[in-house]
Amino acid sequence: MSRAWTAEAFYTQFEEPPALAEYTQHVREFVARHDAENRNVVLITSGGTTVPLEKNVVRFLDNFSAGTRGAASAEYFLEAGYAVIFMSRQHSQFPFTRWYSHTTNPLFDLLKEPAEGEDTVSVSQDHVQGLLPILRAYHQATRRGRLLTVPFVTVTEYLFLLRNVSQAMAPLGHRGMHYLAAAVSDFFVPADKLSEHKIQSSDQSLTLRLEPVPKVLGTLVDSWAPDAYVVSFKLETDGDLLIPKAESSLRKYGHQLVIGNLLQRRKYEIVLVEPHDHTWIRLPTPPAVPPHEIERDIVAAIAERHQAWIASV
Amino acid sequence: MSRAWTAEAFYTQFEEPPALAEYTQHVREFVARHDAENRNVVLITSGGTTVPLEKNVVRFLDNFSAGTRGAASAEYFLEAGYAVIFMSRQHSQFPFTRWYSHTTNPLFDLLKEPAEGEDTVSVSQDHVQGLLPILRAYHQATRRGRLLTVPFVTVTEYLFLLRNVSQAMAPLGHRGMHYLAAAVSDFFVPADKLSEHKIQSSDQSLTLRLEPVPKVLGTLVDSWAPDAYVVSFKLETDGDLLIPKAESSLRKYGHQLVIGNLLQRRKYEIVLVEPHDHTWIRLPTPPAVPPHEIERDIVAAIAERHQAWIASV
């Protein structure tokens, strides 16, 4: 038998994450500061959420998402003058520092040890030109207080934070934007079904029963952030389902825009689906040098729509 | 009905990972070079493995593991004179660079922009003392060719790599060590049961049937690396199971040592379980300043046993 969990019932079965109150307070202060300066504020959610299979969690379900879409978008929103609440999966891609990850381009490889008798560690000269604009943009965002980080791991943490952060953004009215790029689990194990200890391995098969996570997008649009500009994402692997599912989501939740993307082509092609229109964004082939990220075009298109929408009220 | 997969049957159902031949060749060359210099070589496996639920993978099962144990141990094995094959989950913790992750201690925060008219990016002076020993050890390991990296993501990739790397290490005889710290999935979805596309969300519950991953430790000990010193790990959340399960693993697979640890206390307390003995290692409380990592003690204890074992043959 399947129970369809309502958002309310979902929240009551789990305890509030310990850091929830603290993060909520940070967001309130961040919002008040930028509200006072009439700045647009975007909440970007990024990365995948986990679904623990045990209370003392060893195993979990996860969603494929490095968080590149969200981290790249954050950089372009900052460039466009937004203040950014970056609510992301712990250890997923992070704005600016993502260019120097320890696996693809370790900063340690670019740092020179001091010469004999000196004590300065510096970036080798041939990398300064590439690093400097990124470093400057990072320092500028942090120095000016334009970037607030809120981390999550589990889908439960994500859903508590999404509710509180959305409510804390309500004072922004139409200047608030929700850019929901996180890959949120569709299924979870209810609190009362969680195994206390690590599920023991054996030579037997294991059957897991998962229940659907309630869709909170409707509650967000109707109650938490009724005046905000809300952008959701739809990731599919079957091209035939992409636009029908995006349109059905818009009809169901009544928000402003769905960004549709296919797993295989997500870095080169997306579609902006609006109630009476859809617009493809495709990167030119062959790719531009220096690399042109599709998030630059996405953010430009969305910021323009957001501005028109603010002006229209 | 449950099928118990043998190691052989497991391998035949999946295609070889595309990069397998290339990594195998890198390991062969690495082993040959250090073998010629009579150096001990340790294979460290680190991080968790994933179990895709779809062929075009959006969702997967994962194991809790940041890879800290493996990454820290790699540093201490290098310090002890070992050459290290670091076979780790992509984006998990990495030796040396782990001290400056973008979430806890971002290097970007330590880098100073150039003064007016200059073009040097350097580490701010108050951080040089902390960074320099780590940077020197990293450069030394890479410059001397003592550290080889082999990445994996899925449990299938892991098992193919483990087989080939172990076989490639066979020429080392007793000087080879296997330090199997990766958190390997116990269950998987057989290739012929994988859904082609993303499992659609719905308001229905989802039932997953997983089958046990074959234990390849026996095959490793008996066939792939019969002369190597083999260390496996046992992670539990229930303290009563820790030593019995470690002892049962030693009896079953016939290897040299199991490192037992409880999820909750793994950073402060572990137990070395050998056929006729077990030895606890506990960090002193209150913790030492500067921080003393338990991996320093683990590696010292294991390297000593490995040396005695090499001498005894």
Side-chain angles (χ1 to χ4, degrees), chain A residues 150-173:
Chain A
V150 178
F152 61 82
V153 176
T154 67
V155 66
T156 309
E157 288 165 2
Y158 170 86
L159 287 171
F160 273 101
L161 284 166
L162 182 66
R163 183 188 67 184
N164 283 25
V165 173
S166 297
Q167 291 170 338
M169 286 174 69
L172 293 161

Side-chain angles (χ1 to χ4, degrees), chain A residues 253-312:
Chain A
Y253 304 116
H255 57 306
Q256 282 69 36
L257 196 143
V258 176
I259 298 181
N261 52 161
L262 286 177
L263 184 63
Q264 309 85 327
R265 305 176 58 76
R266 69 195 187 283
K267 298 201 171 171
Y268 320 103
E269 182 182 280
I270 64 100
V271 57
L272 306 179
V273 181
E274 296 172 280
H276 304 290
D277 200 11
H278 63 260
T279 313
W280 287 92
I281 296 181
R282 292 188 178 92
L283 287 192
T285 47
V289 178
H292 177 117
E293 293 186 304
I294 198 166
E295 288 79 10
R296 180 180 288 281
D297 302 314
I298 297 176
V299 169
I302 302 275
E304 191 185 312
R305 284 161 171 78
H306 185 206
Q307 212 49 51
W309 192 71
I310 294 171
S312 75

